[in-house]
Amino acid sequence: MFRLSNLIGSVIEDKPERILDGSIAIWNFTNRCNLSCLHCYSKSTLDEVDTLTTQQIKKTILEMKANGVKFIIFSGGEPLTRKDLFEIADFCKDNGIVTYLSSNGLYFTSKNIQRIVDTFNYVGVSIDGDEPTHDYFRGLKGSFKETLKAVQMANATGAKVGIRYTITKDTLNSLEYIFKLAEDENIPKIYVSHLVYSGRGLDNLKMDLSKAQRRKAVEFILDKAFEYYETGRDIEIVTGNMEMDAVMFLNRFSEKYPEKKEAMRKRLVTWGGNSAGRKLLNINSEGDVRPDPFFPLTVGNIIKEDFGDVWQQGELLNQLRIHPRKQISGICATCKQLDICNGGSRARAYAITGDLWSEDPSCYLTQEERETI
């Protein structure tokens, strides 16, 4: 995740950098879901049966804690379809692990909303555009109205709430709408996710943006980030799955604050770009451990192995933990920004070429941007 709002404020104001003390796990606790989203990397359906037991999950949480996992993002499917979800989240809290909830919001009610926001440190709800766009993209007519109600209910409690928005050709025309919605509703965070070619996202490659469309979209997002900072608007912007955004951001930041360019570049190198297998991991609903949720290969399974044995060994993880990943070929081999983006998504590279170490095909940087520090 690229936390550009936090970077703008901390570097300009000479605040200590926000360092991730530990690893983040995105855990798909279930593959059951009440929607059928076009981009879903896990191809969730309502017919799924949960594989992992409560006790298996708790055992693994203790193993994760012992191996430096400090954050768990509760994902799915729709995580709230698990009846033991609050019990699991409370167990995380008891063991000092920060929990985030990633939900479609359709199971939020006036009766459980306070429990949700009291349990999770942050609640992210997916809205992928205006009403017709969202309903089409999520595969259920009427889902937009119910999801918006969920965001409003959660936001009214004063808890940290955010909109999660995936940008594709189907949702691109709603980009400005999403930001206007956050402004009108005073929602404190917007997370913009770029498409990764996995699951239904792989089946629907045609929905991905062209490089020209992506550049224009990222320029708009950067405009908003600087606008919010300069006007004192308290809306945090984060982008995900497109580490090249950081290079474009650095160029824009350098134009506005040239005296802070080196400080910002140092922060970005410390951030380190794509963190799959380094500071990020995924556990799916079958217990498979992957370097990120979209990754085409697994490194182990928590049902068959201790999490520590999986996470602390293996040639693939060793290769992914090289920073910067100089083994990547193509345009990355000579790119002077590799220490910032770390080569982008290995899942996208593999999906298009079958080679885990080829360039990320979605990189939209120009040759000049890649060659100029």
Side-chain angles (χ1 to χ4, degrees):
M1 291 183 285
F2 178 50
R3 303 179 185 277
L4 61 163
S5 296
N6 178 269
L7 281 162
I8 293 172
S10 62
V11 171
I12 292 174
E13 298 168 23
D14 292 319
K15 294 180 179 177
E17 58 188 302
R18 185 174 178 177
I19 298 174
L20 177 60
D21 179 25
S23 300
I24 296 175
I26 301 173
W27 196 330
N28 306 94
F29 286 101
T30 181
N31 205 37
R32 188 169 52 252
C33 188
N34 51 339
L35 293 178
S36 183
C37 307
L38 292 179
H39 67 307
C40 180
Y41 61 80
S42 58
K43 295 187 177 182
S44 301
T45 72
L46 266 178
D47 298 327
E48 301 288 341
V49 176
D50 293 336
T51 299
L52 301 175
T53 67
T54 308
Q55 288 309 116
Q56 173 67 66
I57 289 169
K58 287 182 177 181
K59 172 180 177 292
T60 301
I61 287 170
L62 294 178
E63 293 165 358
M64 294 167 79
K65 176 183 177 181
N67 285 274
V69 174
K70 299 291 183 68
F71 301 83
I72 296 180
I73 299 174
F74 284 54
S75 189
E78 169 51 48
L80 285 171
T81 62
R82 278 196 73 119
K83 294 181 179 180
D84 59 356
L85 199 76
F86 292 116
E87 180 182 350
I88 295 168
D90 288 341
F91 188 78
C92 288
K93 187 182 297 185
D94 291 343
N95 283 280
I97 295 176
V98 175
T99 58
Y100 288 4
L101 176 66
S102 178
S103 173
N104 61 39
L106 296 184
Y107 289 112
F108 289 23
T109 69
S110 58
K111 294 182 179 180
N112 71 9
I113 190 62
Q114 196 61 50
R115 178 73 190 276
I116 289 171
V117 298
D118 287 346
T119 299
F120 295 95
N121 299 78
Y122 167 74
V123 175
V125 180
S126 297
I127 297 182
D128 286 300
D130 57 20
E131 184 171 353
T133 301
H134 178 90
D135 285 358
Y136 165 75
F137 197 68
R138 294 273 158 180
L140 180 66
K141 189 172 179 59
S143 61
F144 173 85
K145 290 180 179 178
E146 296 306 311
T147 297
L148 181 57
K149 287 179 185 177
V151 173
Q152 291 168 333
M153 277 195 297
N155 201 37
T157 67
K160 185 67 180 291
V161 177
I163 293 174
R164 299 175 58 85
Y165 161 77
T166 300
I167 186 167
T168 69
K169 286 179 180 175
D170 293 310
T171 64
L172 179 58
N173 289 337
S174 286
L175 177 61
E176 293 185 25
Y177 172 86
I178 290 295
F179 281 80
K180 182 69 163 52
L181 180 65
E183 293 165 7
D184 291 346
E185 297 285 343
N186 291 311
I187 298 166
K189 183 174 178 179
I190 302 170
Y191 174 80
V192 180
S193 177
H194 295 268
L195 184 71
V196 182
Y197 311 148
S198 179
R200 293 194 192 109
L202 178 57
D203 295 339
N204 294 285
L205 280 175
K206 63 183 180 181
M207 76 169 64
D208 199 16
L209 303 182
S210 68
K211 294 184 180 183
Q213 287 174 318
R214 197 179 307 282
R215 285 190 70 93
K216 186 175 180 181
V218 174
E219 285 171 358
F220 174 81
I221 294 166
L222 294 179
D223 286 343
K224 281 296 185 180
F226 284 106
E227 174 193 325
Y228 291 161
Y229 175 76
E230 291 163 359
T231 61
R233 188 68 191 256
D234 190 20
I235 298 178
E236 180 186 3
I237 302 175
V238 178
T239 68
N241 308 315
M242 189 60 62
E243 291 79 14
M244 290 67 76
D245 290 354
V247 178
M248 201 163 162
F249 164 76
L250 176 61
N251 292 338
R252 177 74 67 85
F253 182 87
S254 301
E255 292 172 0
K256 298 175 76 69
Y257 305 97
E259 73 283 2
K260 297 283 188 177
K261 177 181 179 180
E262 291 308 313
M264 179 60 78
R265 195 178 198 288
K266 183 179 178 182
R267 289 280 182 99
L268 292 174
V269 172
T270 300
W271 165 67
N274 186 274
S275 59
R278 298 191 307 127
K279 300 177 183 177
L280 177 67
L281 66 107
N282 168 249
I283 302 176
N284 71 11
S285 60
E286 301 295 318
D288 294 322
V289 182
R290 305 181 190 190
D292 70 33
F294 315 102
F295 214 84
L297 306 173
T298 63
V299 294
N301 185 286
I302 60 169
I303 298 174
K304 302 173 183 177
E305 304 164 83
D306 183 286
F307 173 80
D309 293 337
V310 173
W311 189 236
Q312 297 299 338
Q313 64 184 9
E315 182 59 27
L316 176 57
L317 290 176
N318 289 338
Q319 289 294 310
L320 288 170
R321 289 167 182 170
I322 295 171
H323 184 268
R325 294 175 182 149
K326 295 182 179 180
Q327 68 270 45
I328 300 176
S329 61
I331 58 175
C332 297
T334 57
C335 181
K336 294 182 179 179
Q337 311 291 359
L338 189 64
D339 55 349
I340 291 179
C341 82
N342 209 24
S345 171
R346 300 299 85 223
R348 273 195 296 259
Y350 188 88
I352 297 301
T353 68
D355 179 2
L356 203 59
W357 306 109
S358 63
E359 66 186 59
D360 184 336
S362 290
C363 178
Y364 57 82
L365 299 178
T366 65
Q367 183 175 348
E368 181 181 2
E369 288 168 333
R370 296 195 305 270
E371 294 180 352
T372 304
I373 296 180

